[in-house]
Amino acid sequence: MTENPQAQAAGNAGNTDDESSEALIAVHWREEGYYPPPPKFTGQANASDPAIISQFGEENFPECFRAYADLLTWDKYWHTTLDTSNAPFWKWFVGGELNACYNCVDRHLGEHKNKAALIWVPEPEAESHQAITYQELYRRVNEFAALLRDFCGLKAGDRVTFHMPMVPELPIAMLAAARLGIIHSQVFGGFSGAACGHRIADSGSHVLVTMDSYYRSGDLMDHKVKADEAVETAAKEGQQVDKILVWRRYPGQYGSKTPMVEGRDFFVDEVLAEYRGATVAPVSMPAEAPLFLMYTSGTTGRPKGCQHSTGGYLSYVTGTSKYYQDIHPDDTYWCMADIGWITGHSYIVYGPLSLGTTSVIYEGTPNYPDAGRPWRIAQQLGVNIFHTSPTAIRMLRKVGPDEPAKYDHHFKHMTTVGEPIEPEVWRWYYETVGKGEAVIVDTWWQTETGGFLCTTLPGVHPMKPGSAGPPALGIYPVILDENGEEVPKGSGKAGNICIRNPWPGVFETIWGQPERFVQTYYAKYNKDADSKDWHDWPYFAGDGALHAADGYYRILGRVDDVINVAGHRLGTKELESAALTVEEVAEAAAVPVVDDIRGRAVEMYVSLKPGVTASKDIEAKVTTAIETDIGKIARPKNIWIVPDMPKTRSGKIMRRVIAATSNFSDTGDITTLANPEVVEKIRQQVQGAKAARGQVPRELTETEAEELKSFGSE
Ligand code: WT7
């Protein structure tokens, strides 16, 4: 282990005696040295006294989370901090009432009304950025809320689906819904119309809010076309959409070729004219009322609508934004994620705006028109807090390693989220992007968890490249083995990371699927289904992890059939069912391959129905089917049409064996398969073709090899 003497002086990393066991597991990814937070950062940090950690210690649970809830303005204070009577459907701050929009907008008008709440940066550089003050945000949110209420007839508890790109109209729509207690469900703009349609149907939305077009990598994309596909898909699933509200990228000018359907489709800029200057009183909502749904992939085809609460969620994202993003009201904060993912909901919209800061929204791709764009934006706007994913960092490092040095931007704080980050990539982020001046937090969490679970507290803990860090305040993780036995703390041995306790940001349920909620996240380690004691309900995160002797967690990756592409979860079953819509396809299996930029990419294996011959045409059909059903993000790197799939005697496709083939790694024991001979056939076919395409991967790290070994094991 390399040791950083400054970190020793900082003295916060704890015991580092027994580093050898961890090193055994990750030979290629060694224990790294520590980087202390820069003193300039610590001097101004919202949390720099380690005492805060014990304030959130287990002996103070759950009352410790009052500190987060007290950051909000409540219409009615709560009487019960945590109600466990219907475990594991936890209720936080029961008896309390508040409005999320009021907390993110109205309450800042007194002090900050002329300050920018949002700064929107269009992708074309010729278009200047737009600053929207809190006052302006208030006005626009009220007008859109009036439209949702009076034109659409929506009220508290109804669902509304948004399929919006990265424009300020998206947070405006979210906040307008929240103002009325309407549950919003924003579907990532890059998802296909069909994917949006499934989510409309699942949530039971009658109204879809979309946009005509937006810029992506220099092209004005037709987006409205997806709305027509979405309502068609929803209709097939029995859900009628009555109204499609279409924002226009350039008001007054329609940027889509798709016709507007009379009586169903409306231009928002036209309808809004009726609501100029309208104000709508924020509706006081119970703390446990759902604020929004965020769909995510699971191990079966049907996406899961994670239901997040108003009081618990908003408290948690506000508290973590304050202490972990170190947001002060005079900061200029830029999270480059898409608002269509949980990161954007929590750490572009709700957390930052609740704290009254300025949040930057960028429309396009980070490397458009060149890899200096993010640093140019940061310099122009004086961004001092920057937040992105390892995929974006890897890509910017590859295409523009020297770009950051050309700009006079200065970050005090940087975040990485969504996937494990390789120490080399971390160091480029730290030294080249952050110029050695910024603290970095590597934040581990999930759609389901609302906010951060493991990360260093930036003014307190030293950073360790490649490790997320200690648990966040009030989070008590444990690593369990398959039998539910605890993997010894600090042992550096891998197991399933679980969170022993509920926390305010945890999702309330899967929309419409409460049994699946219990089954997926709590049943595995619960021994008494009737227990009302939270200690009996560890939350199963679905990630492998290890706990090092210094108390830092390193996340190894998913232990289920989920593929993490560029920090986004794709379920193998979703990919496979899309491939199976192609008439010629008999069987399909999706597996991850290690990818230098996106962390993982998808490869599809398909076998064909009898009598059908393999062709490029079928490969193309499979790609199209996946893009149509899910979106371009899921486009497979390769499609392999194979004579047969390796199977167990009971007929299960062995994805682990296929994944090993795609990654040139060891297939392990295959003697128990029903058809072991097919493994060698496939190996020659796939690895031969990959060699010819120049796609032989680097040698896997041990942690990657571990992850692949458990892939698809059921
Ligand atoms: C999965 C959750 C968290 C918001 C964005 C993704 C992986 C997330 C890290 C990290 C290693 C990470 C996990 C997790 N993951 N953050 N810092 N280090 N892995 O949300 O789509 O719900 O994905 O992303 O595997 O389970 P998501």
Side-chain angles (χ1 to χ4, degrees):
M1 169 169 174
T2 52
E3 285 197 349
N4 181 323
Q6 281 169 302
Q8 293 296 305
N12 292 317
N15 167 26
T16 55
D17 290 339
D18 176 24
E19 65 275 11
S20 56
S21 48
E22 184 173 356
L24 278 180
I25 295 185
V27 190
H28 300 282
W29 188 343
R30 275 172 214 291
E31 213 22 14
E32 296 286 322
Y34 299 106
Y35 289 72
K40 203 171 147 202
F41 176 83
T42 314
Q44 60 79 65
N46 280 330
S48 54
D49 181 353
I52 194 171
I53 296 167
S54 44
Q55 285 154 24
F56 279 83
E58 201 166 335
E59 61 289 357
N60 297 326
F61 181 84
E63 299 306 322
C64 54
F65 281 113
R66 269 176 194 273
Y68 281 5
D70 285 344
L71 297 171
L72 304 181
T73 305
W74 293 78
D75 300 333
K76 194 169 155 216
Y77 210 64
W78 67 89
H79 51 70
T80 306
T81 303
L82 172 63
D83 174 355
T84 64
S85 61
N86 188 24
F89 299 88
W90 316 118
K91 287 197 185 109
W92 282 89
F93 311 126
V94 184
E97 286 180 10
L98 76 168
N99 182 275
C101 175
Y102 178 87
N103 274 277
C104 292
V105 185
D106 305 41
R107 68 168 173 155
H108 305 310
L109 296 179
E111 261 182 86
H112 301 302
K113 72 172 177 192
N114 291 321
K115 179 182 145 170
L118 302 171
I119 301 179
W120 179 56
V121 182
E123 191 186 72
E125 274 189 298
E127 285 182 30
S128 58
H129 64 256
Q130 288 178 17
I132 299 174
T133 62
Y134 275 95
Q135 177 65 31
E136 172 85 355
L137 183 63
Y138 171 80
R139 187 184 64 76
R140 295 187 63 181
V141 165
N142 270 280
E143 289 173 355
F144 195 68
L147 183 154
L148 288 178
R149 186 188 60 191
D150 300 341
F151 184 70
C152 302
L154 293 170
K155 56 179 191 316
D158 291 345
R159 280 79 55 209
V160 61
T161 298
F162 302 153
H163 194 205
M164 295 280 293
M166 283 289 282
V167 290
E169 287 77 8
L170 172 53
I172 287 168
M174 289 162 64
L175 293 163
R179 195 167 188 83
L180 293 163
I182 300 164
I183 305 168
H184 60 75
S185 167
Q186 154 69 7
V187 177
F188 170 56
F191 275 150
S192 66
C196 178
H198 297 310
R199 288 157 177 77
I200 290 174
D202 192 88
S203 64
S205 302
H206 291 284
V207 175
L208 170 64
V209 181
T210 187
M211 195 161 211
D212 64 337
S213 60
Y214 64 99
Y215 277 100
R216 192 91 197 141
S217 301
D219 297 324
L220 189 66
M221 318 277 289
D222 183 344
H223 190 62
K224 162 65 168 56
V225 61
K226 290 184 176 177
D228 297 79
E229 292 159 12
V231 297
E232 202 180 300
T233 303
K236 276 189 209 140
E237 294 179 24
Q239 180 66 28
Q240 171 79 26
V241 173
D242 307 323
K243 283 194 169 67
I244 303 182
L245 301 177
V246 184
W247 292 91
R248 286 189 278 192
R249 175 66 173 70
Y250 299 101
Q253 206 176 306
Y254 187 40
S256 165
K257 294 199 182 62
T258 323
M260 295 287 281
V261 175
E262 179 77 40
R264 186 199 69 181
D265 302 354
F266 302 90
F267 290 129
V268 176
D269 52 303
E270 288 177 3
V271 184
L272 264 183
E274 312 272 307
Y275 298 95
R276 285 282 169 260
T279 53
V280 171
V283 178
S284 260
M285 298 299 293
E288 66 273 21
L291 177 61
F292 65 85
L293 307 179
M294 172 60 65
Y295 281 87
T296 190
S297 301
T299 52
T300 67
R302 187 170 168 198
K304 302 182 280 197
C306 295
Q307 175 183 318
H308 281 284
S309 70
T310 307
Y313 170 83
L314 196 64
S315 299
Y316 197 68
V317 299
T318 305
T320 51
S321 293
K322 175 162 182 172
Y323 294 117
Y324 290 98
Q325 296 292 284
D326 200 54
I327 290 177
H328 299 60
D330 55 354
D331 286 321
T332 301
Y333 170 91
W334 181 20
C335 171
M336 214 164 61
D338 195 291
I339 298 174
W341 307 109
I342 191 70
T343 305
H345 275 50
S346 300
Y347 298 115
I348 297 178
V349 181
Y350 285 113
L353 295 184
S354 166
L355 291 173
T357 198
T358 299
S359 187
V360 175
I361 299 176
Y362 173 54
E363 178 180 34
T365 47
N367 58 335
Y368 185 83
D370 58 71
R373 186 73 192 276
W375 325 127
R376 240 171 6 253
I377 292 172
Q379 174 185 296
Q380 268 164 14
L381 303 182
V383 171
N384 66 340
I385 307 181
F386 182 71
H387 187 146
T388 193
S389 65
T391 290
I393 304 167
R394 287 185 209 107
M395 191 267 292
L396 291 165
R397 173 173 176 255
K398 185 175 172 199
V399 295
D402 305 320
E403 287 299 313
K406 298 181 188 163
Y407 297 92
D408 186 30
H409 65 274
H410 295 278
F411 298 140
K412 68 167 185 178
H413 182 292
M414 305 193 299
T415 299
T416 164
V417 61
E419 317 149 65
I421 183 165
E422 299 76 4
E424 272 165 77
V425 177
W426 190 98
R427 277 190 284 271
W428 182 78
Y429 195 36
Y430 182 76
E431 275 150 20
T432 307
V433 175
K435 306 179 180 183
E437 302 165 335
V439 76
I440 294 183
V441 290
D442 176 345
T443 58
W444 170 70
W445 58 297
Q446 309 176 303
T447 304
E448 294 86 339
T449 74
F452 306 144
L453 293 179
C454 284
T455 161
T456 50
L457 187 57
V460 173
H461 298 119
M463 306 163 248
K464 185 165 79 168
S467 288
L473 295 170
I475 301 292
Y476 321 124
V478 62
I479 297 185
L480 300 177
D481 67 16
E482 279 306 309
N483 305 318
E485 296 298 326
E486 179 166 353
V487 174
K489 286 202 170 32
S491 66
K493 296 217 167 68
N496 296 322
I497 186 165
C498 297
I499 310 298
R500 291 196 290 112
N501 62 305
W503 65 97
V506 69
F507 71 139
E508 300 182 290
T509 188
I510 302 176
W511 180 259
Q513 304 180 70
E515 302 80 23
R516 187 176 179 198
F517 168 77
V518 179
Q519 198 52 40
T520 311
Y521 299 97
Y522 293 100
K524 188 172 173 84
Y525 292 123
N526 168 258
K527 295 194 186 84
D528 172 8
D530 296 324
S531 172
K532 303 195 182 320
D533 179 350
W534 62 260
H535 295 86
D536 292 328
W537 296 93
Y539 168 82
F540 173 69
D543 277 324
L546 52 84
H547 188 240
D550 60 11
Y552 282 33
Y553 287 90
R554 184 193 296 168
I555 307 302
L556 303 173
R558 302 290 311 181
V559 296
D560 53 15
D561 292 348
V562 168
I563 307 180
N564 186 334
V565 177
H568 304 308
R569 280 154 60 175
L570 299 173
T572 50
K573 293 271 165 32
E574 280 173 277
L575 292 153
E576 291 160 8
S577 26
L580 286 167
T581 63
V582 176
E583 212 196 310
E584 294 87 343
V585 171
E587 287 177 313
V591 296
V593 280
V594 170
D595 182 276
D596 281 338
I597 300 290
R598 294 153 70 81
R600 299 284 179 278
V602 173
E603 290 201 357
M604 280 308 298
Y605 284 67
V606 295
S607 67
L608 303 179
K609 289 181 181 156
V612 183
T613 19
S615 68
K616 284 269 166 238
D617 186 43
I618 298 176
E619 284 179 28
K621 280 193 193 166
V622 172
T623 302
T624 307
I626 290 171
E627 288 186 0
T628 309
D629 225 39
I630 305 171
K632 288 210 162 50
I633 188 176
R635 178 206 295 254
K637 186 163 179 172
N638 291 301
I639 308 231
W640 306 111
I641 300 180
V642 293
D644 196 6
M645 302 280 183
K647 287 192 195 124
T648 62
R649 296 215 169 110
S650 61
K652 271 197 201 138
I653 299 178
M654 291 297 285
R655 293 201 192 80
R656 172 177 63 74
V657 173
I658 302 176
T661 306
S662 270
N663 287 285
F664 290 65
S665 66
D666 181 11
T667 47
D669 182 15
I670 53 164
T671 52
T672 57
L673 294 189
N675 53 355
E677 70 292 341
V678 79
V679 176
E680 180 54 21
K681 263 198 224 155
I682 294 179
R683 194 189 67 77
Q684 287 182 11
Q685 173 192 350
V686 169
Q687 296 187 354
K690 289 188 108 172
R693 294 177 197 177
Q695 292 182 352
V696 178
R698 60 172 164 75
E699 195 188 330
L700 301 189
T701 66
E702 302 244 335
T703 46
E704 287 164 350
E706 274 298 313
E707 182 193 324
L708 289 178
K709 258 186 229 159
S710 58
F711 184 76
S713 50
E714 279 159 17

